[in-house]
Amino acid sequence: MNSAFKNERTIYLGIDGGGSKCKARVVDEKFRVLGSAVAGPANPVHGIEQAIESIQSSAQMALLAAGFEKNDISQVVAGVGLAGVNLPSLYQVMQEWQHPFKRLFLTTDLHIACLGAHGGEEGAVMVAGTGSCGYIYSKNKTAIYGAHGFPAGDKGSGAWLGLEAMKAVLLAQDGLAEATQLTELLSAKLGTKGLGLVEVMVGASPRKYAQLAPLVIEAAEKNDAVAVGIIRDGACYLSMIARKLLADNPARLSLLGGLSERLMPWMDQDVVGRFSSPLDQPEAGAIYFAKKEMEFWRAAL
């Protein structure tokens, strides 16, 4: 074991596992950041083995960045927030994982995103990234709006925007819908056209569809009518989610996710005016969660 552990009572690890990547952060008990790392996707919906591999890889890389050794993973207390574990069956599977950590406290990626955005305090968040949803943690109660997963839900998300673009392009190519700049943009991105687009995207992951989302925003910003319609439809849904959250009077509301800044101009501006900038990242929220759960665990001894 690295001697650095002898000087700290507890080292905490925060994990934010999503559909596109898994982020890890290592801190000491005073919340000083010691190291961080990023690994591959960690949403168990799309593969439990992949999720576990990404969690362990990101954790070990973050420990190395902090000056520890890989096997020091057995000495850390981990807070792990994962996409997909809002589904009870997947929560159970991940909870039963024979993990390598000293302690592991599991929750959803939404919970840690909320804690991170509000400095460990209560509040609400909306997410507009690969997926989309709303989450509120207020008066020790939680509620989730959306988070139904792609392709059944996640309206307004990157994956949804990419799928809607594909549908619009295919209809336009058959002469059944309005022509759009998206035809040329998607063909250039995917290196094919016509039925080749279908072939390339058969069985594609939400992450791959989300990679098309910037093209939709780009076309909308150039006033392409089809792209504008897609963006407005998604932004309207996000605005509705925000109003649902605000109706519960959260202390703060933040918009998170890789598409948040680019979609804000398309949302209802009275809603946008209620957003507060996130105070920290979801992996920090995972650490807030782990520290609180560790206190409960110690008190129960």
Side-chain angles (χ1 to χ4, degrees), residues 37 139 179 238 278:
K139 300 178 179 64
L238 295 176

Side-chain angles (χ1 to χ4, degrees), residues 74-270:
S74 65
Q75 301 301 313
V76 300
V77 173
V80 178
L82 299 179
V85 297
N86 57 309
L87 301 176
S89 61
L90 287 177
Y91 180 89
Q92 187 66 28
V93 168
M94 294 306 300
Q95 187 76 335
E96 293 174 354
W97 170 37
Q98 298 300 304
H99 62 81
F101 309 109
K102 183 177 181 179
R103 294 277 183 276
L104 183 150
F105 300 106
L106 178 66
T107 188
T108 67
D109 59 336
L110 297 176
H111 190 184
I112 64 166
C114 190
L115 289 172
H118 307 306
E121 302 298 327
E122 294 185 349
V125 291
M126 289 181 54
V127 179
T130 301
S132 71
C133 58
Y135 177 87
I136 186 166
Y137 170 49
S138 182
K139 300 178 179 64
N140 287 317
K141 295 182 180 180
T142 64
I144 299 174
Y145 303 109
H148 301 137
F150 179 83
D154 286 358
K155 189 169 182 177
S157 70
W160 180 86
L161 291 173
L163 178 60
E164 292 302 302
M166 277 286 296
K167 289 157 62 175
V169 166
L170 293 172
L171 285 171
Q173 287 179 160
D174 285 343
L176 299 173
E178 186 176 352
T180 170
Q181 297 174 30
L182 292 171
T183 301
E184 182 178 344
L185 291 171
L186 264 64
S187 295
K189 173 73 173 178
L190 299 175
T192 186
K193 60 183 178 180
L195 286 178
L197 296 174
V198 177
E199 188 173 11
V200 167
M201 297 300 287
V202 166
S205 66
R207 183 183 185 186
K208 189 168 183 178
Y209 272 103
Q211 290 172 351
L212 305 178
L215 304 179
V216 187
I217 298 173
E218 176 186 334
E221 291 173 345
K222 293 179 180 178
N223 296 316
D224 178 84
V226 173
V228 166
I230 293 171
I231 294 291
R232 283 182 173 164
D233 189 21
C236 178
Y237 172 78
L238 295 176
S239 295
M240 289 171 60
I241 293 290
R243 293 186 191 284
K244 186 75 173 176
L245 293 167
L246 289 168
D248 288 329
N249 297 311
R252 298 175 88 248
L253 171 63
S254 295
L255 180 61
L256 312 175
L259 294 177
S260 56
E261 289 189 8
R262 298 193 70 180
L263 289 178
M264 250 191 253
W266 300 90
M267 295 178 64
D268 295 345
Q269 291 307 294
D270 62 319

